[in-house]
Amino acid sequence: ANTPYQAYGGDLTAGINPQQQAGIGAINQNAGFASPYISEAAGYARQAGAPISAADIARYQDPFTQQVVDATQAQFNNQNQQQQSSLLGNAAAKGALGGDRVGVAQANLAGQQNLAQSPVIAGLYSQGFNQALTAAQRQQQAAGQTASSLGGLGVAGQQAGLAGAGAMLGAGSLEQQTEQQRLNSLYQQFQQQQAFPYQQS
């Protein structure tokens, strides 16, 4: 009864070991791995989801379209002048120059000339617009694909990093369990040592 209480001087629980600390550090390091990729992917996704504007189409407009239109218009103007001259020449040959019919004939010819050239000029502008629109649409689709790729890469990288960190943590837990069993065994031996004199008595 007079024997003083003797406390156990060893550790009772296994602490976090270096392997677990490395695993925890790797988890912290990889937890935000996907964030910059996802942020960048969100920007591309917004770009892909935005309506195509006139400015987007204008960016892809062929700079030589106007030169082609001007050259075609110049060719039409040359042909129109030749036809008007031919009309006046025919009227002069028939002695009808200066009459009302010449003005009417000139107006009719000008109307026919406009009917012939307007679809050609409009077609050139339309072709340039359609090509620019197609290029803008392709760029928008590429932005969507880039968004998907970046997001996928970020998430895959984060998952791979966290899986590796989890493996490190698991290996460290195995070490910790082994150490805990060793500490439990030491504590049991201490208890047996304390009880031994009483058992002997």
Side-chain angles (χ1 to χ4, degrees):
N2 292 330
T3 303
Y5 174 76
Q6 185 176 357
Y8 178 64
D11 290 331
L12 293 173
T13 56
I16 295 176
N17 58 47
Q19 182 73 23
Q20 287 174 312
Q21 289 175 346
I24 292 168
I27 287 173
N28 292 334
Q29 181 181 359
N30 288 293
F33 181 88
S35 293
Y37 290 92
I38 291 173
S39 295
E40 191 174 354
Y44 280 109
R46 279 191 290 276
Q47 181 183 345
I52 295 176
S53 67
D56 294 330
I57 296 169
R59 262 200 329 259
Y60 297 102
Q61 195 80 38
D62 186 352
F64 300 107
T65 299
Q66 190 60 50
Q67 292 176 356
V68 171
V69 169
D70 291 345
T72 305
Q73 185 65 59
Q75 184 179 359
F76 274 122
N77 291 342
N78 186 24
Q79 289 175 355
N80 293 346
Q81 288 173 353
Q82 289 176 9
Q83 290 171 353
Q84 288 288 344
S85 295
S86 177
L87 178 78
L88 290 176
N90 287 340
K94 293 179 182 178
L97 196 59
D100 291 342
R101 292 188 143 274
V102 174
V104 172
Q106 284 180 311
N108 284 338
L109 179 60
Q112 290 173 357
Q113 289 169 339
N114 282 334
L115 284 175
Q117 73 184 24
S118 293
V120 174
I121 299 298
L124 292 173
Y125 281 122
S126 178
Q127 182 181 0
F129 174 84
N130 287 334
Q131 287 174 345
L133 176 61
T134 300
Q137 288 171 333
R138 284 187 186 143
Q139 179 60 34
Q140 197 173 37
Q141 290 169 354
Q145 291 169 349
T146 301
S148 177
S149 295
L150 277 174
L153 286 172
V155 170
Q158 181 170 322
Q159 288 174 343
L162 290 175
M168 292 172 72
L169 202 56
S173 294
L174 180 63
E175 292 176 9
Q176 186 182 39
Q177 289 169 2
T178 304
E179 176 64 12
Q180 185 63 53
Q181 289 174 352
R182 187 183 74 80
L183 293 176
N184 290 346
S185 176
L186 290 175
Y187 183 62
Q188 286 174 357
Q189 288 178 4
F190 170 77
Q191 287 177 323
Q192 289 173 357
Q193 181 184 12
Q194 297 303 307
F196 182 76
Y198 301 103
Q199 290 171 349
Q200 288 294 95
S201 300

